[in-house]
């Protein structure tokens, strides 16, 4: 397993739309292992998307279990994820491994339903809420070439240099 270099804003590869995964093979699973390693190496990271390491495929990892108050499903490999339902909206502070110097407030759906495949191609449906739902929405944005900077409530009033406080998403 290897820690992969993470692309940072304004790398143009972060603006591209990722392609669906079609082959669920050993090469894919080796990449997932490297991506897990990369997420664990990131400061306080709770999610990562394949395009952040330059692989333009629809694959994200999410793990909010390090946040004591965040209910979640543990470590998830979510491939070709599709949000099928949204409910409510809530403002929360986000950061990103690809935007290391800033955090910002972003409006996200409070509850979502999600369908995604695992590294063996098995399709699962999830009901998610709160912080885990926020992280999933943030990571799926990476698959569509969007950063939280593109959704921040107010760039001028709201974008802050990263301080000592831990942000609400990565
Ligand atoms: Ni991010």
């Amino acid at each position: 397993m290897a820690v992969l270099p993470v692309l940072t804003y304004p790398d143009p590869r972060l603006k591209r739309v990722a392609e669906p995964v079609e082959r669920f093979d050993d090469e894919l699973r080796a990449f997932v292992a490297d991506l897990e390693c990369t997420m664990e190496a990131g400061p306080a990271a709770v999610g990562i998307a394949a395009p952040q390491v330059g692989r333009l495929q629809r694959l994200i990892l999410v793990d909010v279990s390090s946040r004591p108050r965040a209910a979640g499903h543990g470590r998830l490999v979510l491939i070709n994820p599709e949000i099928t339902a949204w409910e409510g909206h809530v403002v929360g502070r986000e950061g990103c491994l690809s935007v290391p110097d800033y955090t910002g407030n972003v409006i996200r759906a409070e509850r979502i339903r999600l369908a995604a495949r695992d590294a063996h191609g098995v399709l699962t449906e999830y009901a998610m809420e709160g912080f885990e739902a926020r992280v999933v929405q943030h990571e799926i944005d990476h698959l569509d070439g969007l950063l939280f900077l593109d959704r921040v409530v107010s760039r001028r009033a709201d974008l802050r240099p990263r301080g000592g406080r831990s942000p609400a998403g990565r």
Side-chain angles (χ1 to χ4, degrees):
M1 294 208 300
V3 175
L4 306 169
V6 175
L7 306 179
T8 54
Y9 177 83
D11 192 302
R13 286 170 287 182
L14 293 169
K15 303 295 287 179
R16 291 177 57 189
V17 176
E19 298 290 328
V21 171
E22 287 173 356
R23 288 220 302 269
F24 296 81
D25 56 8
D26 288 344
E27 190 280 331
L28 182 78
R29 289 183 283 276
F31 170 71
V32 167
D34 285 347
L35 197 61
E36 288 182 321
C37 209
T38 306
M39 181 172 77
E40 283 163 11
V46 289
I48 194 168
Q52 290 181 274
V53 296
R55 181 157 165 150
L56 288 165
Q57 284 191 309
R58 304 189 75 81
L59 187 162
I60 65 175
L61 302 181
V62 170
D63 187 353
V64 300
S65 57
S66 64
R67 302 296 171 96
R69 291 193 300 273
H73 293 81
R75 172 75 54 91
L76 292 175
V77 179
L78 302 171
I79 299 176
N80 300 340
E82 299 280 354
I83 297 176
T84 56
W86 294 258
E87 200 180 291
H89 57 269
V90 62
V91 177
R93 197 138 198 95
E94 298 187 10
C96 181
L97 292 173
S98 296
V99 189
D101 297 332
Y102 291 93
T103 64
N105 283 327
V106 181
I107 297 170
R108 301 286 188 188
E110 199 169 2
R111 284 172 294 281
I112 59 171
R113 294 193 71 83
L114 176 79
R117 294 183 188 278
D118 68 11
H120 295 274
V122 177
L123 186 65
T124 303
E125 291 189 68
Y126 302 90
M128 294 180 169
E129 60 180 25
F131 186 65
E132 187 179 51
R134 171 173 298 276
V135 175
V136 165
Q137 290 169 83
H138 174 116
E139 300 308 335
I140 289 178
D141 270 357
H142 280 296
L143 306 182
D144 295 318
L146 292 170
L147 298 173
F148 81 88
L149 296 173
D150 300 307
R151 293 195 186 273
V152 76
V153 176
S154 159
R155 277 201 181 207
R156 206 171 54 170
D158 217 36
L159 209 57
R160 289 187 212 148
R162 182 180 290 284
R165 213 157 55 88
S166 191
R170 298 299 305 195

